[in-house]
Amino acid sequence: MTTQEETTTPADRRTAKRAMAGRLSWGLADQAASSMTNFAVGIYVARSLGLAAFGVFGLAWVTYGVVLNVSRGLATDPLVVRFSGVPTASWRAAVARSSGAALGVGTAVGAACLLFGLALGGSVGPAFVCLGVVLPALLLQDAWRFAFFAAGAGRKAFANDLVWGVALVPAMVVAARVGSVAAFVLAWGASAAVAAAYGWQQSGIRPRVTQARAWLREQRDLGYRYLAENVTLSGASQLRAYGLGAIAGVGAVGAVRGAELLLGPFLAVLMGLSLVTVAEAARVLKRAPHRLGMFCLLLGGGQAVAALLWGAALLLVPDRAGEFVLGGVWPSAAELIVPATLGVVGAGLGTGAAAGLRALGAARRSLRAQLFASACYAVGGLGGAVAGGAVGSAWGVAAATLGSSTVWWLQLRSGLREHRRNPRPEDLDLPEVPEVPEVPEVPVDHDVHVDHDVPIDHEDHEDPEVPEVRTS
């Protein structure tokens, strides 16, 4: 069997590289728009409400991250792995089912959040009630983004996030007049609903909630492992946030969230690449399997170096500028810049290997790596909180992410070896098998009597030759 790379010309390869660069550029542009929107929301809330209320908003934000990862594991991650670069008809049918699954997850978990918030009450309860109301719109908007990137239409995802950002401006103004965490959560989700409706118009596809169960059944070999992988990651983050709040107070949660906001522009790059790297790695695997390892290494190493450069730039920010951006959150967040940067370095290294494992469809290996990384994250974050509050928690997370990135790369190396020995059929460039023409049905006269006692001379009646179909 020959790979596609052996049958393509240098001009074809240059065209493919330009196309990949274009898709990556749209991924970065889209995530820049999305993350700058989130960054603006965080800054606005921090300056408007103060450290304690910002910590409450951070708890709602972390909870949204958990639910988002549930939706991605069940709905959009299998879509990107299996329906990137497929015919349009197959993509549309898959998007209808996967977006329906995302909408169903948002509705079910949103109802649970609403009931939880009503039962909790206090200063935190209303934020969870409002989060439950807006979760379906938030998850549907995210599903459209992944669907567009699976189709290689990153510009549509970028346009959708721009619409969200534009709708967010008046919503934030109204929320600031109300002056509560619940109002900001509602404003954030209502603007996402506008973008979700626009995504429906962009794609021309109606989410099929009634086919969500069929989608989950068809993708269960990947979906449930990706669900476990994503939930352990976000669950560890949520456990760290709740534990940090219980150990050191919600102010510590606000300080950690403030440090994350300082790294927001770089995290935009990291998340933007993650939207398209799995799809690109899957294309590399089909065209030139031996280059997948180098692709992942360049991806992870580049992100790690960029994180170090960004962290170094943050250390040079004067206090006056920091206080202008974060207000009263700046002094606490500034103490966490170094460990938070090292944590992002470790995450960047691991992301490169994770993209390769997703492209290989090695869900079992990626799940092992993620379980180990999540356990280290939770232990490091909570152990550090006991030892030194927010600063200790940040250093514990940094050590955990740097150490667990090694496990990701060991799993990728084993996955590549396994793939070389037993490549998947869909990764082989097999020639199409010509269809055998149908043999016309011969009408049978049921009135003709057949004498079964007459012997048949097999030597005089040879079977007609069937043309051989060559597959390679």
Side-chain angles (χ1 to χ4, degrees):
M1 299 295 176
T2 60
T3 63
Q4 183 173 344
E5 185 186 20
E6 294 172 347
T7 59
T8 56
T9 64
D12 292 332
R13 289 195 288 272
R14 286 193 297 269
T15 301
K17 289 180 179 179
R18 284 195 296 269
M20 178 189 294
R23 290 188 293 268
L24 290 174
S25 298
W26 280 117
L28 291 174
D30 168 74
Q31 189 58 41
S34 176
S35 292
M36 289 308 294
T37 298
N38 294 337
F39 180 74
V41 170
I43 294 299
Y44 203 66
V45 174
R47 290 179 59 84
S48 301
L49 300 180
L51 187 61
F54 187 58
V56 174
F57 184 83
L59 293 177
W61 187 282
V62 170
T63 303
Y64 157 71
V66 174
V67 183
L68 180 66
N69 279 310
V70 170
S71 175
R72 287 180 176 178
L74 292 176
T76 53
D77 283 346
L79 175 75
V80 172
V81 171
R82 286 186 166 152
F83 294 92
S84 292
V86 300
T88 302
S90 299
W91 173 80
R92 290 180 64 86
V95 168
R97 299 196 301 276
S98 66
S99 59
L103 193 56
V105 169
T107 302
V109 182
C113 283
L114 192 151
L115 294 176
F116 174 74
L118 290 174
L120 186 62
S123 61
V124 179
F128 277 86
V129 170
C130 296
L131 178 64
V133 172
V134 300
L135 265 178
L138 288 166
L139 298 190
L140 181 58
Q141 192 274 338
D142 186 72
W144 292 133
R145 297 172 67 209
F146 275 76
F148 293 142
F149 279 114
R155 60 173 62 87
K156 289 187 176 181
F158 175 69
N160 192 276
D161 274 320
L162 281 182
V163 168
W164 188 2
V166 171
L168 191 62
V169 174
M172 285 288 108
V173 172
V174 173
R177 291 182 178 178
V178 176
S180 67
V181 176
F184 279 105
V185 173
L186 277 179
W188 171 50
S191 57
V194 174
Y198 179 58
W200 188 350
Q201 188 274 331
Q202 283 178 295
S203 64
I205 300 172
R206 182 165 65 90
R208 303 282 184 177
V209 180
T210 56
Q211 296 182 14
R213 183 174 297 180
W215 172 262
L216 298 179
R217 185 170 58 252
E218 293 167 6
Q219 309 300 327
R220 62 182 179 273
D221 59 326
L222 293 181
Y224 292 127
R225 287 196 173 99
Y226 288 159
L227 169 64
E229 182 179 330
N230 291 352
V231 167
T232 53
L233 171 63
S234 56
S237 177
Q238 190 172 26
L239 178 62
R240 181 232 185 162
Y242 289 160
L244 180 61
I247 295 168
V250 291
V253 179
V256 169
R257 179 63 186 148
E260 292 172 351
L261 283 175
L262 293 174
L263 289 162
F266 173 74
L267 291 175
V269 175
L270 186 66
M271 295 299 295
L273 287 174
S274 70
L275 285 174
V276 293
T277 49
V278 175
E280 292 305 320
R283 292 184 176 96
V284 171
L285 180 64
K286 291 179 180 179
R287 293 170 179 164
H290 64 281
R291 292 186 175 178
L292 179 61
M294 181 56 65
F295 173 83
C296 296
L297 182 61
L298 292 174
L299 175 65
Q303 290 176 121
V305 171
L308 287 173
L309 293 176
W310 185 262
L314 288 177
L315 292 175
L316 301 177
V317 174
D319 289 339
R320 181 174 298 179
E323 291 172 356
F324 175 78
V325 174
L326 290 181
V329 178
W330 166 256
S332 300
E335 297 179 353
L336 309 181
I337 289 177
V338 173
T341 299
L342 293 177
V344 176
V345 169
L349 288 171
T351 299
L357 287 172
R358 288 287 177 94
L360 290 169
R364 185 174 299 177
R365 292 189 177 279
S366 61
L367 177 58
R368 290 175 192 164
Q370 189 58 69
L371 287 174
F372 179 83
S374 298
C376 291
Y377 183 96
V379 172
L382 294 179
V386 172
V391 176
S393 181
W395 278 107
V397 167
T401 53
L402 287 170
S404 59
S405 65
T406 304
V407 176
W408 279 107
W409 281 99
L410 291 175
Q411 289 292 337
L412 177 60
R413 185 180 66 174
S414 299
L416 290 172
R417 289 176 178 174
E418 184 177 312
H419 181 269
R420 283 193 290 267
R421 292 194 300 266
N422 301 300
R424 298 179 301 175
E426 59 265 33
D427 295 331
L428 297 175
D429 187 24
L430 297 175
E432 294 186 3
V433 179
E435 296 184 0
V436 178
E438 294 185 4
V439 178
E441 184 178 353
V442 179
V444 178
D445 187 353
H446 294 283
D447 295 330
V448 177
H449 174 71
V450 179
D451 189 355
H452 296 284
D453 295 331
V454 178
I456 298 177
D457 186 0
H458 293 282
E459 295 181 357
D460 295 335
H461 298 275
E462 297 180 356
D463 294 333
E465 289 187 6
V466 177
E468 181 183 358
V469 179
R470 299 184 177 273
T471 61
S472 60

